[in-house]
Amino acid sequence: MQSVTYGNVYSPVCWLSSDGDHVSSSSSELFQQRSSSGLGSRKTRRGKALSVTRPCGGRAALGLGPSSVVVGPTARERSTLRVLSSLVTDPSGRSMLSAEQKVFDVVAKQASMLEEQQKRGTSLVDVELGSSTMGSPELLSDAYARCGEVCAEYAKTFYLGTKLMTPERQRAIWAIYVWCRRTDELVDGPNASRITPTALDRWEERLEDIFRGQPYDMLDAALSDTVSRFPVDIQPFRDMIDGMRMDLVKSRYNNFDELYLYCYNVAGTVGLMSVPVMGIDPDSKATTESVYSAALALGIANQLTNILRDVGEDARRRRIYLPQDELTRFGITDEDIFAGVVTDKWRAFMKDQIRRARMFFTEAEKGVVELDKDSRWPVWASLILYRQILDAIEANDYNNFTKRAYVGKAKKLLLLPAAYARALVAPPSSKQRLSRV
Ligand SMILES: CC(C)=CCC/C(C)=C/CC/C(C)=C/CC/C(C)=C/COP(=O)(O)OP(=O)(O)O
């Protein structure tokens, strides 16, 4: 058994024990990295210091588990599928539905959970803090406060945005954020090659405990409390762990279908986890599925952007997330990427990739407006910020080998009021919606 502190939250960590699948992550390690952009993605974070003791074993777990079969979608479901599938056709027009179908099942389940809760009309957030089995209200309140600190440390812009939300929503988002960040910590950084699949299995068991109301430490307790108050399903959390498993065994993606699944696992899942907490505007006329699809699209867009920004950095770790078949089509080899020279071929390839990432952002925008009014600002802020990274790649003349595309402080400051102004826009009425078609 190992004792570890997460900031000022003291937590005995025995979920990964002495059998060689041991992982520890201390507060200083957890806080080493800072990010000011948004919820954590799981790739290319530098300087993580995980302590692990056994080289990686070779188990692949690429699927989405039992939820991956889609049988006979309804007409409404089919229309959602069509929207997404239009985004996942490759340049030759081939449609790539397999990963998408897997993901769609999860989206449909999330949407039905939220609808169920709305039908019941119960406000889970009215439950008194700490009235569950999670410990005293004071402890829980401390745990949530700690989650807030972690979120503020890593995702400043997003954290600022969450300040507009109701206190219940705010702390629930922080708890989800912290779980994602801790999950990411397991497999990222300099010790990534030493994490084992068994360690991830244990993290998953611990996740099941969180959802059973048996949290292991205070930060887990915050999430346990959150999932008892909001209709948050476990599947996206499991799928995120699957994304970590993918990263253990995979350093190339044959096509966009494979990349899409990866992006869903590590980032689209965050969108799905967030919607039940952020809430949908009571005046929204949109279907619940369409809002979830937009949330998914935002996660995918963010992750694609992350990948495009970090091509050079990933290449130095001998990783290429870009679809191999698309690289080949543009006459680009892995060696070209490792050499890191910006050529016309590269520019043409990048233009195509950026175009696709922007399509996902556009798809996401349609959903932001449908969110509860207090939740729109942080989402607009992170969407605008992340989308500007694509502009920065262009401004760098597509040199994402040696130049890091970033959004400067002044621009960041300007985007906050811009995001606020967009957040004031209410969901379109059904009339407006029809006139747009
Ligand atoms: C659009 C609707 C309806 C809802 C919003 C639903 C949400 C919150 C979606 C966001 C999903 C999200 C933030 C995924 C994470 C993606 C990502 C690549 C984050 C980057 O995180 P870091 O790795 O910390 O960033 P940097 O590498 O830029 O520091």
Side-chain angles (χ1 to χ4, degrees):
M1 160 135 16
Q2 171 96 358
S3 288
V4 165
T5 17
Y6 281 99
N8 46 19
V9 182
Y10 185 73
S11 65
V13 172
C14 68
W15 53 274
L16 298 166
S17 60
S18 54
D19 66 359
D21 289 305
H22 173 89
V23 177
S24 76
S25 175
S26 74
S27 60
S28 57
E29 291 161 357
L30 187 68
F31 292 107
Q32 251 176 7
Q33 285 300 313
R34 283 149 200 247
S35 141
S36 57
S37 52
L39 291 174
S41 75
R42 78 123 324 267
K43 63 170 281 300
T44 55
R45 199 164 286 105
R46 295 147 307 283
K48 286 285 157 51
L50 283 165
S51 127
V52 287
T53 57
R54 207 170 71 185
C56 152
R59 202 194 75 180
L62 302 182
L64 291 167
S67 69
S68 58
V69 185
V70 178
V71 224
T74 63
R76 190 165 65 157
E77 288 165 353
R78 270 196 305 273
S79 71
T80 315
L81 263 179
R82 263 202 308 276
V83 171
L84 280 174
S85 62
S86 64
L87 298 174
V88 284
T89 46
D90 67 17
S92 67
R94 262 183 308 153
S95 131
M96 302 180 169
L97 275 180
S98 68
E100 193 187 342
Q101 273 168 349
K102 287 178 185 168
V103 173
F104 175 73
D105 191 41
V106 188
V107 172
K109 188 175 168 208
Q110 307 307 301
S112 74
M113 276 183 79
L114 191 59
E115 278 167 3
E116 270 299 296
Q117 193 228 315
Q118 280 161 348
K119 257 189 243 148
R120 282 200 312 270
T122 43
S123 169
L124 294 168
V125 291
D126 289 343
V127 181
E128 214 176 281
L129 191 64
S131 62
S132 57
T133 52
M134 252 65 78
S136 73
E138 292 75 29
L139 269 180
L140 205 48
S141 173
D142 281 356
Y144 274 123
R146 190 75 209 103
C147 292
E149 282 168 30
V150 176
C151 188
E153 185 83 15
Y154 282 94
K156 281 194 185 68
T157 312
F158 187 78
Y159 173 79
L160 198 69
T162 62
K163 299 303 274 179
L164 265 197
M165 295 175 166
T166 62
E168 292 81 10
R169 285 195 171 137
Q170 197 180 93
R171 57 182 176 236
I173 285 292
W174 296 341
I176 291 174
Y177 177 85
V178 165
W179 184 87
C180 294
R181 177 62 58 175
R182 288 172 107 186
T183 304
D184 183 76
E185 290 272 319
L186 294 177
V187 279
D188 215 344
N191 293 315
S193 61
R194 291 194 282 148
I195 190 89
T196 67
T198 312
L200 290 175
D201 292 347
R202 294 195 179 187
W203 186 246
E204 191 164 342
E205 282 162 24
R206 182 164 156 169
L207 171 73
E208 305 281 341
D209 287 342
I210 292 174
F211 275 77
R212 268 196 292 270
Q214 293 166 341
Y216 192 76
D217 65 14
M218 282 177 74
L219 300 179
D220 283 359
L223 184 58
S224 262
D225 185 66
T226 288
V227 304
S228 73
R229 288 160 191 278
F230 294 92
V232 177
D233 183 35
I234 193 170
Q235 195 58 44
F237 292 80
R238 289 193 190 120
D239 292 342
M240 180 177 271
I241 299 176
D242 264 353
M244 310 300 139
R245 292 190 176 105
M246 263 172 118
D247 248 340
L248 289 189
V249 295
K250 217 170 151 58
S251 60
R252 296 291 185 279
Y253 291 79
N254 287 322
N255 48 45
F256 187 68
D257 196 42
E258 289 187 12
L259 183 62
Y260 178 84
L261 184 56
Y262 173 74
C263 291
Y264 159 70
N265 281 333
V266 301
T269 48
V270 184
L272 304 190
M273 295 167 192
S274 309
V275 171
V277 173
M278 292 186 158
I280 297 177
D281 191 300
D283 292 334
S284 168
K285 305 282 180 298
T287 63
T288 314
E289 286 100 329
S290 70
V291 179
Y292 273 96
S293 293
L296 168 69
L298 183 54
I300 307 268
N302 284 347
Q303 190 61 33
L304 289 175
T305 302
N306 202 278
I307 286 168
L308 297 178
R309 182 193 64 190
D310 297 338
V311 169
E313 199 177 308
D314 290 334
R316 286 185 279 284
R317 301 188 307 154
R318 308 303 283 180
R319 284 182 172 274
I320 298 175
Y321 288 91
L322 305 163
Q324 291 286 317
D325 61 344
E326 297 178 18
L327 286 166
T328 307
R329 211 173 301 127
F330 280 84
I332 300 163
T333 64
D334 285 2
E335 289 319 309
D336 293 333
I337 291 181
F338 294 139
V341 181
V342 179
T343 58
D344 282 345
K345 275 192 233 171
W346 181 251
R347 287 187 189 93
F349 171 79
M350 279 301 300
K351 278 180 195 168
D352 215 48
Q353 300 294 313
I354 289 175
R355 183 189 51 80
R356 179 164 56 204
R358 284 192 175 129
M359 283 169 70
F360 278 95
F361 277 119
T362 304
E363 196 53 33
E365 284 194 15
K366 294 179 198 155
V368 190
V369 72
E370 309 293 345
L371 288 173
D372 191 272
K373 66 174 177 9
D374 299 339
S375 304
R376 296 198 285 257
W377 188 33
V379 177
W380 275 125
S382 62
L383 187 153
I384 297 171
L385 175 66
Y386 240 70
R387 197 175 38 197
Q388 284 185 0
I389 295 176
L390 297 174
D391 305 343
I393 298 173
E394 288 171 338
N396 284 345
D397 190 28
Y398 307 99
N399 180 1
N400 42 5
F401 299 118
T402 56
K403 272 190 178 169
R404 188 174 167 91
Y406 73 97
V407 179
K409 273 217 171 88
K411 268 195 173 168
K412 265 189 194 168
L413 275 177
L414 279 176
L415 75 82
L416 288 176
Y420 188 78
R422 292 202 78 165
L424 295 176
V425 178
S429 66
S430 34
K431 240 187 186 168
Q432 283 168 306
R433 195 176 294 284
L434 282 175
S435 66
R436 258 201 261 130
V437 178

